[in-house]
Amino acid sequence: MPAMKGLEWTFDTVASTYEKLRPGYVAELYRAIFDYIPINEDSNVVEVGSGGGQATAPMLKTGCRLTAVEYGEQFSGLLKDKFKEYKNFSVITGKFEDTEFTDNSYDLVFSASAFHWIPEKVGYEKVFFMLKNGGVFARFANHPYRDKGNPALSVQIDEIYDEYYNTYHNKKREVLTEYTEEQAKERALIAAKYGFSDIQYALFHRERIFSAKEYVELLGTYSDHIAIEEKVRTKFFSKIEEAINEHGGTITIYDTIDLQLARK
């Protein structure tokens, strides 16, 4: 489901739940990044939109100097505490597009499920100037797809979304599809417009199983769901939980994780 612009603030209201329920990223993704650009204690790295630190730990374990740029104050505090043992880790609280960085100073800039909040031209141009020659931008994100093994549950959830989510946001029902290789390629090629080269992309897959209660907690970390008026949201989530329990008590989410790599 595409992000609604202007809802960036919502994540910070559920920082601890977000940190608990939003997934990290598969080991194969980090191997792909480190094969493309080796990172070690001499490397200078920036993470854009760190959230609850889902993508942060594997980078810190390389020994690099890592600066996290995080818009939310609650998330910033969570990050500082979560990674306090890493002396080369620091957090800047603010929007990436408003934060000043020295040009030609960074080996790697990466962003996990956050870069879509930044205007394209502003974001890519800023990253390009920040990077050293040969430096790398890694952009990746998780794209969940609802339980395809339980079509009756999906039909019922669609009807609940029509009644609550779509009515509240005055939207038509979206046809849900799994994220494709063509979409990953299209996203990767954006970097070419801003001077990047050696562009590569990859897809990774996994499955996650949630109880009904866990799934509605997860939904409560999505910006467009948080923005729904509380009374409506409570009823909406209750109906989703009931539907899952009526259809076996669990829901399987099929994740497609895309990775785009580009070099200055």
Side-chain angles (χ1 to χ4, degrees):
M1 192 173 291
M4 294 183 183
K5 294 298 182 183
L7 296 182
E8 300 94 326
W9 61 271
T10 56
F11 298 115
D12 204 45
T13 66
V14 291
S16 60
T17 305
Y18 186 106
E19 192 271 338
K20 180 179 75 171
L21 288 173
R22 285 294 188 102
Y25 298 87
V26 295
E28 293 85 352
L29 179 143
Y30 293 99
R31 285 200 289 270
I33 294 173
F34 298 146
D35 284 346
Y36 188 85
I37 179 168
I39 297 297
N40 55 41
E41 62 274 8
D42 296 322
S43 302
N44 205 5
V45 178
V46 170
E47 180 178 9
V48 180
S50 303
Q54 280 76 11
T56 310
M59 293 293 178
L60 283 172
K61 288 175 182 177
T62 67
C64 71
R65 293 182 301 279
L66 176 54
T67 302
V69 184
E70 171 51 47
Y71 181 41
E73 291 185 5
Q74 297 297 321
F75 274 131
S76 292
L78 185 154
L79 291 165
K80 290 173 185 176
D81 183 64
K82 184 175 182 178
F83 300 116
K84 60 188 175 186
E85 71 273 22
Y86 292 95
K87 303 308 179 188
N88 287 337
F89 178 67
S90 61
V91 180
I92 296 172
T93 304
K95 289 188 175 183
F96 173 70
E97 52 267 47
D98 297 334
T99 304
E100 291 188 9
F101 293 96
T102 305
D103 290 350
N104 305 306
S105 298
Y106 298 91
D107 300 282
L108 172 68
V109 176
F110 73 98
S111 185
S113 298
F115 210 69
H116 58 285
W117 291 108
I118 301 167
E120 178 187 299
K121 187 174 188 295
V122 171
Y124 277 90
E125 288 186 349
K126 190 178 188 75
V127 171
F128 189 85
F129 286 117
M130 288 169 60
L131 290 170
K132 300 174 183 176
N133 288 332
V136 168
F137 179 40
R139 176 179 179 175
F140 47 102
N142 186 54
H143 306 274
Y145 183 68
R146 198 167 57 212
D147 202 335
K148 56 189 175 184
N150 196 339
L153 173 58
S154 285
V155 167
Q156 191 169 343
I157 289 176
D158 280 340
E159 292 170 352
I160 295 168
Y161 265 79
D162 282 343
E163 184 176 354
Y164 294 96
Y165 176 95
N166 292 329
T167 298
Y168 185 85
H169 286 301
N170 194 26
K171 295 180 67 176
K172 294 182 180 178
R173 180 188 294 189
E174 295 182 33
V175 178
L176 300 178
T177 58
E178 287 191 87
Y179 192 82
T180 66
E181 182 174 353
E182 186 58 35
Q183 287 174 291
K185 180 180 179 181
E186 183 178 340
R187 178 173 285 180
L189 291 176
I190 294 171
K193 294 164 31 179
Y194 300 98
F196 289 91
S197 61
D198 191 18
I199 293 168
Q200 299 181 19
Y201 67 92
L203 295 178
F204 309 91
H205 302 275
R206 70 176 167 206
E207 296 178 14
R208 293 178 288 148
I209 299 174
F210 295 90
S211 69
K213 186 176 188 308
E214 289 170 337
Y215 186 65
V216 297
E217 284 186 317
L218 175 67
L219 292 181
T221 69
Y222 290 118
S223 60
D224 47 358
H225 291 59
I226 299 168
I228 296 172
E229 181 186 343
E230 185 175 1
K231 279 188 179 180
V232 177
R233 186 173 71 244
T234 300
K235 188 70 172 175
F236 173 37
F237 286 179
S238 174
K239 291 292 186 181
I240 295 286
E241 188 170 350
E242 287 174 14
I244 294 170
N245 283 326
E246 287 171 9
H247 290 272
T250 63
I251 184 169
T252 301
I253 300 302
Y254 299 82
D255 289 333
T256 301
I257 303 167
D258 65 328
L259 167 66
Q260 291 82 32
L261 295 165
R263 197 179 304 276
K264 178 175 175 179

